Amino acid sequence: MDASAILERIAFRDEPAKSAEPIRARINVGTAGLCSECSLRHLCLTVGLDALATKAFEQIVSARVRIGKGETLFRPGEPFRALYAIRSGSCKSVLVTEEGREQVAGYHMRGEIVGIDGLSTRFHESEAVALEDSEFCTLPFDRLEEFARRDARLQHGLHRLLAAEVARERNVMLMLGTMRAEQRLASFLLDLSRRYRDRGYSSTEFILRMTREEIGSFLGLKLETVSRLFSRFQEEGLIEVHGRAVKLRNPAALKEIIGQRG
Amino acid sequence: MDASAILERIAFRDEPAKSAEPIRARINVGTAGLCSECSLRHLCLTVGLDALATKAFEQIVSARVRIGKGETLFRPGEPFRALYAIRSGSCKSVLVTEEGREQVAGYHMRGEIVGIDGLSTRFHESEAVALEDSEFCTLPFDRLEEFARRDARLQHGLHRLLAAEVARERNVMLMLGTMRAEQRLASFLLDLSRRYRDRGYSSTEFILRMTREEIGSFLGLKLETVSRLFSRFQEEGLIEVHGRAVKLRNPAALKEIIGQRG
DNA sequence: CGACTAGTTGAGGCCAGTCAATGTTGGTGG
DNA sequence: CCACCAACATTGACTGGCCTCAACTAGTCG
């Protein structure tokens, strides 16, 4: 089987969908291979690679996937074949246990990489759902590994990527384990703020892509609690909220809230 | 600087200790290099390596560290140089934030590998504290990376190790985000049970190495709550507790508790 | 023995969950 | 354009689970 056939298999996700509704993922093979011109290359795995290596890296990133809002990029139980770099849009990752316990494990925006959850068992364990129409670059993992064996810089990048995921989850653990509701929400807002800033957007004004329920699930709270806290923060002049539009009026005060007693 | 000098630097931790009390870590260089005979080789990074590669791997594992109960293997802020395989004993890892927020992030026993927390920033972000006198094999990370570039099996093993840590933390997230106190404790006990079983110990009778406070910190609960739950589980005939000695009398019922409603 | 740490148990309070009613928004079709 | 509907969001009243504070007990080590 040649490379393009493998890529088609990956791109078209040839295993049967586990769920009733069809996956309407579409693919643009033609537009692939532009890492060296990608505005996100300083956020992606190409960090640390020189121009030549980036060109070589483009050979790996040979497929793009577009999915619509609410559609899934991968589902629990599906074989793990690739990581996905978010080229545009955003997604959430959702954990589901046998007993039906469900939790939003993360919220990911452009320039970030999702799919690591499948690396441990070689099957995806979580679900990635687009929160808006989104586009992803497919990074076939076996080819990444091969590249990493030849290039220590990419190896480093890959390790750092995995380690960053560990670090991110550790922070979530800390939040869930030690913070009270208002601290969790403040922490969530400041985290978003920082990440939007890193991407060149406003750090004080942004649109939430998640519902109150999804935010609550991520923060270990109920949607009513989240809603109440938004209202309270607004009353206290910390933020302005109109539905999903949020403006941070006093980030310093939010930071202070997080620092308060155990 | 030759290899043994590097190892000495690692072993004797030449950077100044951040805390008042001295680190009394001792080292046995002489006993290193026995991976091929180690009873834990099927749990360690050597999984998947053949005899020859395991022999080669021994060259990497060139130092052992012994530390006493309550002493630290590494501290936040220290440069990351190596991963540590627990050869005997156990340890906890503790997260500390700037604001003094503190949480036990994990409990690790023999055959497990700690220190991954330093990989992201190249500085350790958590503290590893021995819960009993313990012995660790030092795996210098640069040499691991070098080996992984030459041997795809070790590369796989390393990736799986990192991915397993991601998966472990995801489970902790789920626990902290969706479970009530009794479910968290049940989940904790069954997790220990499984891991002791995997190591050839009894899965129903074991000694806790952590205090109630440490367990509580890990589970996002207060020590009083943990204590009360132990008592209640005992009243209900689920377990027997005498201080830190625990006997699971009805693991199935513990499993059921976890499965209960949201 | 006394000091100390770890653990247990009780009483009461508060934070967040639960249940429920109402308001708002966005998409669809007449 | 508006009516309608479903999904999302807000707000209130009440409940309950876990925390807080506190007293007491059981080991442990000098």
Side-chain angles (χ1 to χ4, degrees):
Chain A
M1 187 183 290
D2 66 14
S4 70
I6 293 173
L7 287 170
E8 272 195 13
R9 287 193 49 183
I10 293 173
F12 288 105
R13 314 161 58 80
D14 57 345
E15 48 289 326
K18 297 289 186 299
S19 152
E21 74 265 19
I23 301 172
R24 283 173 292 137
R26 287 178 295 128
I27 177 92
N28 302 341
V29 178
T31 56
L34 296 164
C35 293
S36 52
E37 295 166 21
C38 179
S39 64
L40 299 169
R41 65 182 181 281
H42 59 291
L43 288 170
C44 199
L45 265 175
T46 45
V47 175
L49 299 185
D50 58 26
L52 196 65
T54 302
K55 267 289 171 202
F57 188 75
E58 285 176 2
Q59 300 308 310
I60 291 182
V61 189
S62 21
R64 290 222 203 126
V65 183
R66 273 178 198 277
I67 61 176
K69 177 177 176 174
E71 295 181 329
T72 65
L73 183 59
F74 51 79
R75 284 191 166 80
E78 287 184 5
F80 165 76
R81 295 221 187 81
L83 300 178
Y84 301 91
I86 305 176
R87 189 169 161 78
S88 67
S90 57
C91 70
K92 62 174 176 176
S93 61
V94 183
L95 305 176
V96 189
T97 66
E98 317 83 63
E99 318 111 22
R101 202 178 293 285
E102 192 173 323
Q103 183 178 20
V104 174
Y107 166 62
H108 311 283
M109 51 180 75
R110 59 188 278 259
E112 298 180 339
I113 289 175
V114 297
I116 299 173
D117 69 293
L119 179 50
S120 174
T121 62
R122 296 282 155 168
F123 290 92
H124 284 290
E125 285 166 16
S126 66
E127 184 183 35
V129 181
L131 295 169
E132 56 196 308
D133 293 356
S134 302
E135 192 176 341
F136 303 84
C137 297
T138 304
L139 316 176
F141 195 72
D142 51 358
R143 300 189 66 184
L144 277 182
E145 283 188 320
E146 193 193 330
F147 197 119
R149 260 176 273 136
R150 282 184 284 109
D151 191 318
R153 292 164 300 182
L154 184 70
Q155 184 192 33
H156 264 80
L158 201 52
H159 288 164
R160 203 149 318 165
L161 174 68
L162 295 171
E165 181 65 12
V166 173
R168 189 189 72 79
E169 291 189 357
R170 243 201 324 266
N171 285 331
V172 177
M173 277 178 53
L174 249 170
M175 175 198 72
L176 294 173
T178 70
M179 288 186 184
R180 297 189 296 99
E182 55 176 14
Q183 297 174 316
R184 295 183 197 188
L185 188 63
S187 160
F188 175 71
L189 290 172
L190 290 174
D191 180 53
L192 286 184
S193 169
R194 187 182 46 71
R195 285 155 73 198
Y196 280 123
R197 178 175 50 81
D198 290 350
R199 279 158 186 74
Y201 301 128
S202 166
S203 67
T204 58
E205 236 167 308
F206 43 82
I207 306 291
L208 300 170
R209 297 295 177 185
M210 298 166 86
T211 67
R212 301 289 189 262
E213 185 168 20
E214 287 164 337
I215 295 170
S217 172
F218 179 58
L219 300 180
L221 302 170
K222 291 295 157 184
L223 69 95
E224 296 94 330
T225 304
V226 173
S227 181
R228 270 185 251 273
L229 285 170
F230 271 128
S231 301
R232 216 184 78 201
F233 281 0
Q234 181 161 243
E235 278 169 32
E236 294 168 348
L238 301 178
I239 63 175
E240 274 177 41
V241 211
H242 306 289
R244 300 200 186 170
V246 175
K247 187 189 288 189
L248 306 189
R249 297 214 70 86
N250 194 346
L254 289 173
K255 222 164 279 176
E256 240 175 61
I257 286 179
I258 297 175
Q260 283 164 9
R261 60 176 223 81
Chain B
M1 188 184 291
D2 66 13
S4 69
I6 293 172
L7 287 170
E8 273 195 12
R9 285 194 50 182
I10 294 172
F12 289 105
R13 314 161 58 77
D14 57 347
E15 49 287 328
K18 298 289 185 303
S19 151
E21 75 265 19
I23 300 171
R24 283 173 290 137
R26 287 179 293 127
I27 177 89
N28 302 342
V29 178
T31 55
L34 295 164
C35 293
S36 52
E37 294 165 21
C38 179
S39 65
L40 298 170
R41 66 182 182 282
H42 60 290
L43 287 171
C44 199
L45 266 176
T46 46
V47 175
L49 299 185
D50 57 27
L52 194 67
T54 303
K55 267 289 171 204
F57 188 76
E58 286 176 2
Q59 301 307 310
I60 291 181
V61 190
S62 22
R64 290 224 203 125
V65 182
R66 274 177 197 276
I67 61 176
K69 177 176 175 176
E71 295 180 329
T72 65
L73 183 59
F74 51 80
R75 285 193 165 80
E78 287 183 5
F80 165 76
R81 295 221 188 80
L83 300 178
Y84 301 91
I86 305 176
R87 191 171 160 76
S88 67
S90 57
C91 69
K92 63 174 177 178
S93 61
V94 183
L95 306 176
V96 188
T97 66
E98 317 81 63
E99 317 112 22
R101 203 177 292 283
E102 192 172 324
Q103 183 178 18
V104 174
Y107 166 62
H108 311 282
M109 49 180 76
R110 57 188 280 258
E112 298 180 339
I113 289 175
V114 297
I116 299 173
D117 69 294
L119 179 49
S120 173
T121 61
R122 297 282 156 167
F123 290 91
H124 285 289
E125 285 166 16
S126 66
E127 183 183 35
V129 181
L131 295 168
E132 57 198 307
D133 292 356
S134 301
E135 192 176 339
F136 304 84
C137 296
T138 303
L139 315 175
F141 194 73
D142 51 358
R143 299 189 66 184
L144 277 182
E145 282 188 320
E146 192 194 331
F147 197 117
R149 261 176 271 136
R150 282 184 282 110
D151 192 317
R153 293 164 300 184
L154 184 71
Q155 184 192 33
H156 264 79
L158 200 51
H159 288 164
R160 203 146 322 164
L161 173 70
L162 294 172
E165 181 66 12
V166 173
R168 189 188 73 78
E169 291 189 357
R170 243 201 324 266
N171 284 331
V172 177
M173 275 177 54
L174 250 169
M175 175 197 73
L176 293 173
T178 70
M179 289 186 183
R180 297 190 292 99
E182 55 175 14
Q183 298 174 316
R184 296 183 197 189
L185 187 62
S187 160
F188 175 70
L189 290 172
L190 289 174
D191 179 54
L192 286 184
S193 168
R194 187 183 47 71
R195 286 155 73 197
Y196 280 123
R197 178 175 50 83
D198 291 350
R199 279 158 186 75
Y201 301 128
S202 166
S203 68
T204 57
E205 237 167 306
F206 43 81
I207 305 291
L208 299 171
R209 297 294 177 186
M210 296 166 88
T211 66
R212 300 290 189 261
E213 185 168 20
E214 287 163 337
I215 295 170
S217 172
F218 179 58
L219 300 179
L221 303 171
K222 290 294 158 186
L223 70 94
E224 296 94 329
T225 304
V226 173
S227 181
R228 272 184 250 274
L229 284 170
F230 271 127
S231 301
R232 215 183 79 201
F233 281 180
Q234 181 160 242
E235 279 170 30
E236 293 168 351
L238 301 179
I239 63 175
E240 274 177 39
V241 212
H242 306 289
R244 300 200 186 172
V246 175
K247 187 189 286 189
L248 306 189
R249 298 213 70 84
N250 194 346
L254 288 173
K255 222 164 281 178
E256 241 175 63
I257 286 178
I258 297 174
Q260 283 164 10
R261 58 177 224 81

